[in-house]
Amino acid sequence: MIRRSRIVGCGSYLPANVVTNQDLADRGVETSDEWIVQRTGIRSRHVAAEGELTSDLALAAARAALDHAGLDGAAIDCIVLATTTPDNTFPSTATKVQAALGMTRGFAMDVQAVCAGFVYALSVADSFIKSGQANRVLVIGAETFSRILDWKDRTTCVLFGDGAGAVVLEAGEGKGDAADRGVLSTHLHSDGRFYDLLYVDGGPSATQTTGHVRMHGQEIFRHAVSKLSSVVEEALVANGLEPSAIDWLVPHQANQRIIDGIARKLKLPTEKVVLTVDRHGNTSAASIPLALAEAVHDGRIKRGDLVLMEAIGGGLTWGSALARW
Ligand code: ACO
């Protein structure tokens, strides 16, 4: 028998304020609903209210995930929070959430892998469980990307949104094959040679400012399709599974065309792909747990289903995770 990280709860939170493509055009962004929908599939996104911080979004999602699992903060050994938009440069946003959940033991940390953040955080959490360092881990993806957008740059500001999602992992046992419940594998990659393809033009050490998102969209698009295809293949081969075994693809939600490209390669019908990009935009590290929570709570993802997650982000960083629900 081996230790496996079972996903025993999930939850999410979206800020109340919905901004449509037309709203952006009305506010002076030189764009149109037609352009954004055709190139990205995005129709609207949520934007955090003034004073609403990443930790607030994270806490709401964490509470929803704990409720779903029937647990409270005291039962959690560790928080791994993926974000690119922390409340402050330090301490970690995870420690703020830890205190707010009434968790006075264990440990909490942030993980930075931009849009691949949730897959990275899930992998870190799974490793803590497998090594016996923790029995229950709260994994959160939370972002207020609206705070680092240049609203005068139409090539980036139309793409992102704010939100948070969380899952609770709990140690269980399995036989070590693909029929086990829980996280079956995670595969992570990064290649810093592509640092300048998607970045923020500020930071505490470089400029002492927060900076704004800058992106070479077409090159990111090209890398996304090829790197995600190979990391998905890597996950399937490692588990001895064919694409036909996948019940649900829960991809990072950056662009409908990237998602369609991966689904086509896997020969997955669109009904098996969980999509939120139309209503959430790209919420970076929050996009996968937001999509997971939606598909679990509306009854699509059921016990025993095989769920494939994949994401790519600035760095470049990318990865996949395969889990049996
Ligand atoms: N509204 C209207 N026109 C626009 C807009 C806009 N918001 N943005 C760009 N344009 C214009 C450009 O100026 C250009 O005009 P020109 O031909 O007169 O010069 C034209 O539209 C085409 O621009 P392209 O950049 O060639 O458009 P493309 O088809 O590549 O689509 C997009 C751009 C949507 C950004 C695409 O490249 C993409 O999705 N890339 C991947 C980005 C991504 O997914 N990033 C996130 C992944 S990593 C992460 O999640 C952090």
Side-chain angles (χ1 to χ4, degrees), residues 254-275:
N255 183 311
Q256 173 90 49
R257 290 186 297 150
I258 297 174
I259 297 171
D260 289 346
I262 305 300
R264 250 197 320 273
K265 288 209 168 171
L266 292 169
K267 296 195 172 64
L268 274 187
T270 46
E271 309 84 72
K272 290 190 167 192
V273 183
V274 179
L275 279 176

Side-chain angles (χ1 to χ4, degrees), residues 89 148 200-212:
T89 303
I148 54 167
V200 158
D201 61 4
S205 182
T207 58
Q208 301 82 57
T209 63
T210 306
H212 293 115

Side-chain angles (χ1 to χ4, degrees), residues 29-32 35-36 39-40 114-116 145 154-156 158-160 198 215-222 224 252-255 257-258 282 284 312-314 316:
V29 180
E30 224 180 293
T31 192
S32 65
W35 191 95
I36 301 172
R39 305 283 175 132
T40 71
V114 205
C115 297
F145 240 71
R154 67 176 183 174
T155 68
T156 52
V158 303
L159 302 175
F160 296 91
L198 175 56
M215 179 174 73
H216 297 277
Q218 285 188 0
E219 282 181 72
I220 290 288
F221 195 99
R222 197 167 46 78
H252 169 49
Q253 314 273 328
N255 183 311
R257 290 186 297 150
I258 297 174
N282 180 348
S284 185
I312 184 165
L316 293 174

